[in-house]
Amino acid sequence: MKMRLSKSIVGNAEAEAVSKVICEDGYLGMGATTREFEADLAMYLGVETWQVVSVNSGTAALQLAVQAAMVAAGKKASDLPEILVPSLTFVASFQAVSAMGCVPVPCDVLENTGTLDLEDAARRLTDKTIAVMHVDYASNPWKIDRVYDFAKSHGLRVIDDAAHAFGCRHHGHKIGSFGDLVCFSFDGIKNITCGEGGCLVAFDEASAAIAADSRLLGVRGDTAKRFSGARSWDPDVTLQGFRFHLSNIMAAIGRVQLGRLEGEFIPARRALYEQYRRHLEQMPAVRMLETDPADFIVPHIMPVRVPAARRDEIVTRLDAGGIPTGMHYKPNHLLTLFASGAPSLPHAEKLYDELVTLPLHPGLSANDVGLVCGQLQKAMDS
Ligand SMILES: *Cc1c(COP(=O)(O)O)cnc(C)c1O
C-alpha cells in the first residue's frame, strides 16, 4: 500500500462510539455526548467547562474568536477592523478573519521557525488593529509569551491558531490551558480527530458566552437547553450567529480520540519525529525548523527546508520513489484574495521556496521513516 502523507487513525473504538449514539441514544445533534466531550476537553486542558466551546471545525473556532475580539473592541465590520496574521498558514486562518468582515493583515514569519515575526507585525499596527493571531506552525508555540506581551502593550486580543498544537506544552503549560482565545481543529488529520470538529478555549466569560450562543445561530442560552435535551421555542437573538455546533456523532469520535492521545498518539508522533531528527542530522543540506527545548512538541506535520533551487526536483524524485510530500503553505499574501498577490514578505517567501513536508502520522513505523529518509538522501545525492 502506498505511504500516506497524513491519515486519520481511527478504528473499532470510534465505530462503536458512533454506533452507540445512533443505535442507543438516537439523538444525533448537539446533546449529551457533546457536553461530555467539552467536559473531557476541559479536564484534559485543566480549564473550566465554561471555557470550552466545541464547534464543527477549527475554522469555525477561529471565526468565533474573531467575533469575540470584535465585540470586545466594540467594532463592526463597517469599521474594517484589522487582525495581524502570519502569512505562512493554512488559508483557514485568513478566511476566518475575512468571513467576519475583518481585514487579515499578512505579516512575515521568522525564517528559522515559520512562526509570527513580531517585529514585522509591529510595523503593521494601525489604529484599526484589534487582534494579533499566532499560528503554532508545525506545532511550535515558539516564544508565544512575547506575543501576549506585545498584545498587552498595544491593547490587542490574541487569537492562538493552535490547530497544529493539540497536546503541546509551552514551558510546561499545555497549549489551551493559558492565553486569551485559543482555537483547536479536530479535522481528519489533526493530532486528534472528530471527523470534522474543533473548539475555542476562551479565558474570559464574556467571550465564552458570546461564542457559545453564536455557534447556535446566536440564540441566547441555547447551549444549556440543548445539553439538557430541550430547545428554545421562545428565543431571543442579539448577535450574528452561525450553525457551528458539534453533533453527538462527531463528539463521540472525539471522546475516543482524546482517550488515545496521551498513551498512543503523542508518543507515536514524537518517536517518529525523533527518528526523522536522527536521519536528517546526517543530511546537512536538509534543515529542520527550530524549536525551543523547553517546549513539548507533538508534531502534526513534518516540514523540512531544502535548497530552493533543488526543491521541485527533490519533490519529483521522492514522488517517483513512492514518497508523498506536501507543501505547508503557500503564503496567504500571494493569494489573490488577501493581497495584491505580490511578493513582499521575504521570510515567508523564502520558506515557500524551500519547504517540503514529509509523511508524518501515527500509522507510520520507524522503518517507514527510514524509507523516506533513504529516498530523500538519494534525491539529495543525485
Ligand atoms: C486545520 C487548520 C485550520 C482549520 O481547521 P479545520 O478544522 O480544518 O477547519 C486552521 N489553521 C490551521 C493552521 C490548520 O492547520
Side-chain angles (χ1 to χ4, degrees):
M1 214 171 74
K2 197 173 183 306
M3 193 183 291
R4 297 267 296 268
L5 180 63
S6 51
K7 189 168 181 259
S8 305
I9 306 298
V10 287
N12 287 337
E14 286 82 0
E16 275 164 29
V18 169
S19 164
K20 183 175 171 297
V21 170
I22 295 173
C23 301
E24 292 176 33
D25 306 345
Y27 184 72
L28 314 187
M30 170 172 160
T33 309
T34 310
R35 185 190 67 223
E36 284 156 8
F37 184 44
E38 287 188 355
D40 292 349
L41 288 165
M43 173 93 91
Y44 175 73
L45 295 171
V47 299
E48 306 282 328
T49 41
W50 63 261
Q51 294 183 255
V52 178
V53 179
S54 63
V55 284
N56 54 19
S57 74
T59 309
L62 288 166
Q63 275 187 244
L64 295 181
V66 171
Q67 186 179 34
M70 289 171 83
V71 172
K75 299 287 186 203
K76 295 189 168 58
S78 55
D79 301 318
L80 297 176
E82 295 174 358
I83 300 188
L84 304 167
V85 187
S87 189
L88 190 74
T89 183
F90 188 37
V91 68
S93 314
F94 274 69
Q95 288 282 24
V97 172
S98 59
M100 299 308 303
C102 291
V103 179
V105 177
C107 297
D108 210 356
V109 294
L110 300 169
E111 192 190 324
N112 56 338
T113 61
T115 58
L116 181 67
D117 177 349
L118 272 179
E119 279 177 27
D120 187 74
R123 286 193 285 273
R124 297 174 198 283
L125 280 165
T126 72
D127 55 6
K128 292 188 171 178
T129 313
I130 61 163
V132 55
M133 190 185 290
H134 171 89
V135 177
D136 299 82
Y137 178 78
S139 314
N140 191 351
W142 185 257
K143 298 196 162 102
I144 194 168
D145 299 333
R146 291 194 186 168
V147 179
Y148 286 106
D149 292 344
F150 169 83
K152 204 168 175 188
S153 62
H154 297 287
L156 308 176
R157 300 298 295 263
V158 177
I159 299 170
D160 183 9
D161 180 345
H164 294 184
F166 197 73
C168 297
R169 291 165 191 260
H170 173 62
H171 293 201
H173 303 286
K174 274 184 190 146
I175 297 298
S177 72
F178 66 93
D180 186 5
L181 299 160
V182 184
C183 301
F184 292 112
S185 163
F186 308 134
D187 79 20
I189 58 164
K190 295 289 169 34
N191 286 356
I192 64 167
T193 185
C194 288
E196 298 288 353
C199 76
L200 169 69
V201 186
F203 288 81
D204 66 294
E205 289 187 30
S207 297
I210 290 165
D213 285 350
S214 190
R215 72 173 154 182
L216 283 160
L217 294 169
V219 176
R220 288 186 79 172
D222 205 26
T223 288
K225 292 221 173 77
R226 300 267 183 146
F227 279 170
S228 62
R231 292 288 292 269
S232 304
W233 299 121
D234 181 20
D236 193 18
V237 172
T238 55
L239 85 168
Q240 176 64 56
F242 304 91
R243 215 175 144 70
F244 282 168
H245 56 283
L246 187 74
S247 80
N248 277 344
I249 296 181
M250 285 131 127
I253 299 172
R255 293 194 75 199
V256 174
Q257 287 270 302
L258 184 57
R260 297 174 65 180
L261 178 68
E262 290 281 331
E264 196 179 336
F265 300 149
I266 289 180
R269 285 183 177 276
R270 283 174 58 82
L272 293 165
Y273 181 84
E274 272 317 305
Q275 260 129 19
Y276 268 121
R277 181 192 295 285
R278 280 204 293 277
H279 285 287
L280 296 174
E281 269 168 8
Q282 316 301 317
M283 294 182 233
V286 180
R287 284 183 291 173
M288 290 171 67
L289 294 164
E290 191 179 341
T291 55
D292 179 349
D295 289 340
F296 179 87
I297 310 279
V298 183
H300 158 58
I301 50 174
M302 187 70 215
V304 297
R305 301 171 67 187
V306 299
R310 298 203 53 206
R311 197 267 312 270
D312 292 351
E313 169 217 332
I314 289 164
V315 166
T316 307
R317 286 183 193 277
L318 286 173
D319 185 56
I323 310 297
T325 60
M327 172 60 230
H328 297 85
Y329 297 94
K330 180 171 181 179
N332 284 263
H333 72 283
L334 301 180
L335 305 176
T336 308
L337 183 61
F338 296 118
S340 59
S344 57
L345 303 174
H347 294 151
E349 287 149 28
K350 184 162 196 272
L351 287 173
Y352 178 43
D353 291 339
E354 295 180 354
L355 287 171
V356 185
T357 303
L358 303 176
L360 181 70
H361 57 78
L364 294 176
S365 64
N367 191 42
D368 291 325
V369 173
L371 259 155
V372 172
C373 293
Q375 290 291 337
L376 182 58
Q377 180 78 68
K378 229 173 89 184
M380 298 299 299
D381 289 346
S382 59

